[in-house]
Amino acid sequence: MQSVDSAAEQAEFDRKIAEEQKIEPTDWMPDDYRKNLIRQMSQHAHSEVIGMQPEGNWITRAPTLRRKAVLLAKVQDEAGHGLYLYSATETLGISRSELIDALQTGKAKYASIFNYPTLSWADVGAIGWLVDGAAIVNQISLQRTSYGPYSRAMIRICKEESFHQRQGYEIMYALAKGTPEQKQMAQDAMNRFWWPSLMMFGPHDSESAHSGRSMKWKIKRQSNDDLRQKFIDQTVPQIEVLGLEMPDPEIKWNEERGHYDSGEINWEEFYQVINGSGPCNHQRIKHHKAAHDNGEWVREAVRAYRAKQNQKAAESAA
Amino acid sequence: MNQQQQNLFRFLVALGDDSVVLSHRLSEWCSNGPYLEEDIALGNVALDYIGRARMFYQYACEVEGKGRTEDDIAYFRNEREYTNLLIHELPINDFAFTMVRQFFVDVFYCEYLKQLMNSSDETIAAIAAKAVKESRYHLKRSEPWIRQLAEGTDESLRRIKDALLELENFVGELFLMSDWEQSLVEQGIAVDRAKLQKDWDAYVQKFLGESNVHFPDSQLQIRGGREGIHTEHLGHMLSEMQYIQRTMPGLQW
């Protein structure tokens, strides 16, 4: 049985959610709300950090100095988002090292799209355009999420992501308007990243494990399928501008619905990649662990240095 | 181009090469740093250097007047045509090595660029004025790292000492002048790097000395960068960096 206090706290929490007020770190919140947020926010943070790998894969091979500078700045932004989101997640009472541990042991997930390889320069364009484009659709919706720090993080991150998307589209545009060889490179990249981008919105609403409760708590504001449709509707005209062939032959405007129809996602592949058997799952985590392990002596040195400084300060104060 | 313009062109390309090569090395830390914060910080430094490279190359192209672009300079020269000082091209090795190298070049650039701001060439002076602010900021970051690693654990100190030992051989070249550069000094365009050596030694020795780490007076050991004689590492860097432009030349990206 709930005590009178906790019943009152629950009522206050429910009232805030109903009235579209933000929940702040010091407010009482149900345990499951907290857990659900930690899961979603840390997954988001990990995605930013793991996403540095496939894009970073092309920094040293970018075709011009300008492209190299822009890509480097972009990937640096993603690292910044990761940092920002880790900090926002820490307001829920979990440490960054616990979050990193959950990532490395496979307890926490990250966006499955980063388990696909970046095989050509055009893939950098496709990621910026499609992957960041899909992320923005999702994140715009999350600007209204009920948890204050997450909502504010999304507002800030969305601004940078829209730059990233334009950066990606600009790369695709240059390729699509270039030589036949370049255009083919753009087509190939789009074909490979199209379906995984649609998968980024998660399973159909009817299959989504966490959706119901997340919607009730207003952590999530729009359903997976609605967001996916929004992304398709905004992206198809962009494909037309590029003059590329549609990545899905079933894409067709549906006058009655006022939306584009499209083919069915290969859900078998979706679950296969989520469950760890995508082309780069092992590589990504192995890379993250290796970088983390290689940095251990540095972090240890920093701790030792601080301890010595504290000791000196204590001695001189005594 | 007359002789003076040729010297100026050579000078600008050399400074651009120093920056582009170090920027490339720093960018290799992306997703590999000991902290996420360091990935961001090293990326920032890399961005500053790529910005410098572009400014120097763009001006070099203007001086040359043949319609070449910054990318022609960066992507269509071989290792024998690159003229960076060797210290910039050495592989990133471990974090201690990267930070000691950074500390060395930060100390160097803070003074070098400060003097280059007085160049009689206004464009060079303006680039130096922008870049010196960046280098001062870089130094504010590299110094505490050297301090923490030198006074951290036995392992971090050992790594710092290994890095110092390896880099010792490449420091002297920072202060080695050639005739063509000297003639630019006489015209008030360039800076006499040889004259910076004593102060550089004193600064570095004092800073390291405060952490009880000894570093000897710099001496000219390994040399050749400005003449296009490099370490084995540069060729690999360029083959990676230039791969797209070399396989599909002459296109817009």
Side-chain angles (χ1 to χ4, degrees):
Chain A
M1 226 179 83
Q2 278 190 330
S3 69
V4 178
D5 277 0
S6 70
E9 281 166 335
Q10 177 75 49
E12 174 65 5
F13 174 83
D14 292 342
R15 183 189 65 78
K16 280 187 180 155
I17 297 287
E19 291 176 5
E20 297 283 330
Q21 286 183 28
K22 298 294 179 218
I23 306 299
E24 295 298 336
T26 50
D27 293 345
W28 183 89
M29 61 189 86
D31 266 354
D32 284 348
Y33 177 84
R34 188 186 298 275
K35 277 187 202 145
N36 206 323
L37 270 174
I38 290 176
R39 180 188 57 77
Q40 182 170 334
M41 289 169 69
S42 67
Q43 182 173 328
H44 194 158
H46 297 324
S47 302
E48 302 278 3
V49 171
I50 296 295
M52 293 167 70
Q53 291 181 40
E55 294 193 277
N57 185 34
W58 282 91
I59 289 175
T60 54
R61 291 180 290 171
T64 68
L65 294 179
R66 175 175 169 267
R67 291 288 184 206
K68 187 169 170 169
V70 172
L71 179 59
L72 186 54
K74 186 218 186 244
V75 176
Q76 197 198 20
D77 277 353
E78 308 292 9
H81 296 171
L83 198 56
Y84 202 65
L85 283 163
Y86 280 136
S87 304
T89 314
E90 283 182 301
T91 64
L92 292 160
I94 190 163
S95 69
R96 205 203 300 184
S97 58
E98 287 173 285
L99 295 170
I100 289 174
D101 187 63
L103 170 68
Q104 294 188 344
T105 53
K107 274 183 251 159
K109 304 260 186 249
Y110 55 88
S112 263
I113 190 112
F114 297 126
N115 289 319
Y116 291 87
T118 48
L119 303 175
S120 80
W121 169 248
D123 289 16
V124 173
I127 288 188
W129 170 40
L130 298 174
V131 177
D132 289 358
I136 294 170
V137 169
N138 198 20
Q139 287 167 6
I140 283 177
S141 172
L142 286 172
Q143 290 178 349
R144 296 188 298 126
T145 191
S146 58
Y147 188 55
Y150 194 26
S151 161
R152 290 188 288 274
M154 284 302 108
I155 291 168
R156 187 185 154 137
I157 287 172
C158 273
K159 287 183 188 155
E160 292 186 346
E161 291 291 0
S162 70
F163 266 112
H164 298 170
Q165 195 200 9
R166 273 180 273 173
Q167 173 264 162
Y169 194 69
E170 200 206 352
I171 291 174
M172 293 301 272
Y173 193 86
L175 295 173
K177 305 295 168 185
T179 62
E181 199 180 9
Q182 285 176 307
K183 189 171 179 181
Q184 179 50 37
M185 202 190 263
Q187 180 77 51
D188 175 55
M190 182 186 67
N191 290 351
R192 279 183 289 111
F193 277 94
W194 174 255
W195 293 106
S197 299
L198 297 187
M199 292 177 198
M200 283 174 69
F201 295 96
H204 282 312
D205 299 342
S206 52
E207 311 286 325
S208 177
H210 304 284
S211 275
R213 236 173 14 177
S214 291
M215 292 282 272
K216 188 188 98 188
W217 280 329
K218 297 184 181 172
I219 291 175
K220 198 166 164 168
R221 304 306 307 250
Q222 281 172 289
S223 80
N224 293 352
D225 288 328
D226 286 351
L227 291 168
R228 185 164 21 237
Q229 182 69 58
K230 204 169 173 182
F231 173 72
I232 293 171
D233 289 348
Q234 80 177 32
T235 308
V236 170
Q238 294 170 352
I239 299 173
E240 286 166 353
V241 171
L242 292 176
L244 297 178
E245 281 171 38
M246 289 298 153
D248 167 8
E250 291 182 48
I251 288 177
K252 212 175 111 201
W253 178 250
N254 183 325
E255 194 65 52
E256 210 172 300
R257 290 204 306 129
H259 292 292
Y260 284 96
D261 289 339
S262 57
E264 189 56 42
I265 289 168
N266 179 349
W267 293 108
E268 203 181 316
E269 178 183 325
F270 172 80
Y271 286 110
Q272 186 190 328
V273 178
I274 278 200
N275 291 326
S277 302
C280 301
N281 296 57
H282 287 280
Q283 182 189 333
R284 299 290 183 241
I285 293 299
K286 207 168 154 187
H287 180 112
H288 192 277
K289 274 172 73 89
H292 194 71
D293 293 349
N294 286 339
E296 183 51 33
W297 70 269
V298 179
R299 295 187 296 274
E300 209 181 306
V302 169
R303 288 192 293 269
Y305 178 79
R306 282 185 193 153
K308 286 177 196 170
Q309 293 303 109
N310 289 341
Q311 202 184 342
K312 271 189 211 163
E315 278 164 12
S316 65
Chain B
M1 287 193 289
N2 60 32
Q3 190 59 47
Q4 186 184 339
Q5 282 169 321
Q6 274 178 32
N7 287 342
L8 178 60
F9 176 76
R10 199 171 173 181
F11 178 61
L12 294 167
V13 169
L15 293 184
D17 289 350
D18 289 338
S19 291
V20 92
V21 162
L22 182 58
S23 164
H24 190 98
R25 285 301 183 214
L26 289 166
S27 77
E28 291 174 359
W29 275 102
C30 177
S31 84
N32 290 305
Y35 295 93
L36 193 49
E37 285 84 342
E38 278 311 304
D39 279 26
I40 297 174
L42 289 164
N44 242 332
V45 180
L47 276 169
D48 287 341
Y49 276 98
I50 204 169
R52 269 180 218 187
R54 295 183 67 192
M55 289 187 287
F56 284 125
Y57 285 159
Q58 283 165 10
Y59 185 37
C61 293
E62 198 185 313
V63 168
E64 188 189 39
K66 287 186 187 165
R68 285 208 287 175
T69 67
E70 59 183 37
D71 292 324
D72 294 328
I73 306 286
Y75 292 92
F76 290 96
R77 286 178 307 136
N78 296 326
E79 50 269 51
R80 286 289 279 113
E81 296 162 287
Y82 259 74
T83 55
N84 58 284
L85 299 171
L86 302 174
I87 193 168
H88 300 97
E89 75 192 40
L90 300 173
I92 55 177
N93 213 314
D94 64 4
F95 189 70
F97 185 90
T98 290
M99 292 320 292
V100 171
R101 185 231 318 258
Q102 198 58 45
F103 169 60
F104 280 1
V105 299
D106 290 345
V107 173
F108 172 78
Y109 280 120
C110 279
E111 192 53 36
Y112 177 75
L113 293 167
K114 192 176 103 185
Q115 296 197 15
L116 196 62
M117 283 167 64
N118 299 322
S119 172
S120 58
D121 183 302
E122 282 177 19
T123 309
I124 292 175
I127 296 171
K130 181 179 187 296
V132 76
K133 288 184 208 150
E134 296 162 355
S135 280
R136 284 179 189 143
Y137 191 70
H138 300 166
L139 183 63
K140 272 190 191 169
R141 216 181 68 78
S142 55
E143 281 189 343
W145 267 120
I146 303 303
R147 185 73 74 220
Q148 289 179 89
L149 297 179
E151 298 182 28
T153 60
D154 290 346
E155 182 181 3
S156 65
L157 176 61
R158 175 184 62 74
R159 286 176 186 260
I160 286 283
K161 285 183 174 168
D162 285 351
L164 289 169
L165 200 62
E166 194 173 337
L167 282 158
E168 198 182 301
N169 291 327
F170 293 94
V171 168
E173 198 196 23
L174 285 173
F175 311 104
L176 175 67
M177 294 290 285
S178 34
D179 295 343
W180 60 268
E181 197 173 352
Q182 196 60 48
S183 76
L184 290 170
V185 173
E186 280 146 26
Q187 291 156 37
I189 293 171
V191 172
D192 189 350
R193 290 184 281 118
K195 288 189 179 153
L196 306 178
Q197 185 163 13
K198 234 177 118 189
D199 284 350
W200 187 93
D201 281 352
Y203 188 99
V204 166
Q205 286 166 353
K206 180 169 180 291
F207 184 84
L208 292 173
E210 285 165 15
S211 294
N212 290 322
V213 175
H214 171 75
F215 191 70
D217 282 344
S218 58
Q219 286 175 29
L220 186 58
Q221 313 266 8
I222 303 168
R223 56 188 283 184
R226 287 283 190 256
E227 273 68 52
I229 308 290
H230 292 273
T231 67
E232 288 181 347
H233 307 295
L234 184 72
H236 292 283
M237 180 201 283
L238 293 182
S239 58
E240 186 175 352
M241 182 176 128
Q242 299 177 338
Y243 138 76
I244 294 181
Q245 288 280 8
R246 296 295 185 132
T247 48
M248 287 182 273
L251 307 184
Q252 295 297 310
W253 298 94

